[in-house]
Amino acid sequence: MKTQKLTALITGATSGIGKSFASKLAERGYDLILTGRRQEELQKVTDYIVTTFGVNVETFIGDLSDAKCRKEISERIKSHGNIDFLVNNAGFGIDHSFYRIKLEDMRSMVMTHDMAALEFIHAVIPGMMNRRQGTIINVSSLGAFVPGFTRSLYLATKSFIHYFTKAL
């Protein structure tokens, strides 16, 4: 009996938590779809995973604050049809008082931390529901539970994703 290969999508896979998820899931035999903004770093992660674990890796280079990039990834999810594990990890911090943050940087953070996660969850949920299985991990922060003067927007986006995840 042939078993179907499992696939995981991990955003922000170029370093840190995302890179760790990529390695651990590859070690467990998952094929991967990895996203990141930094092509060279993502290629290093991909090369390591393919060489070490022998799984298939597809990459998307792009900025998740960009609607076109998010749409392309969502369409890839839908066309794949069998994303078994989703890790919404992409993110960045801005360490300034709220009034000093440029509006475009605020939009970028909200789109990357929250809208990307919402759109990708929305894309994977139908397949997971049909198969009656799947895993979604939304990376938040302990900061979701406390206010902070110089990281107010970051903390608010992490709070949103925390409570949205609980609601799901």
Side-chain angles (χ1 to χ4, degrees), residues 38-56:
R38 299 172 293 165
Q39 185 170 358
E40 187 175 312
E41 285 82 357
L42 193 57
Q43 189 60 53
K44 287 178 187 176
V45 172
T46 299
D47 292 345
Y48 168 76
I49 287 172
V50 169
T51 302
T52 306
F53 304 108
V55 299
N56 297 316

Side-chain angles (χ1 to χ4, degrees), residues 4-25:
Q4 185 171 343
K5 192 84 163 158
L6 298 174
T7 302
L9 170 67
I10 304 161
T11 68
T14 55
S15 62
I17 294 169
K19 180 179 176 182
S20 293
F21 266 109
S23 292
K24 290 297 183 184
L25 289 169

Side-chain angles (χ1 to χ4, degrees), residues 66-103:
D66 177 46
K68 184 178 176 183
C69 177
R70 293 191 313 274
K71 183 177 180 184
E72 184 179 325
I73 293 168
S74 291
E75 287 173 355
R76 175 62 182 103
I77 291 168
K78 291 173 185 175
S79 71
H80 187 282
N82 289 319
I83 303 298
D84 303 285
F85 204 115
L86 171 64
V87 180
N88 285 307
N89 171 69
F92 62 95
I94 300 173
D95 200 14
H96 293 296
S97 302
F98 177 78
Y99 69 93
R100 292 186 180 190
I101 302 172
K102 295 177 195 172
L103 193 55

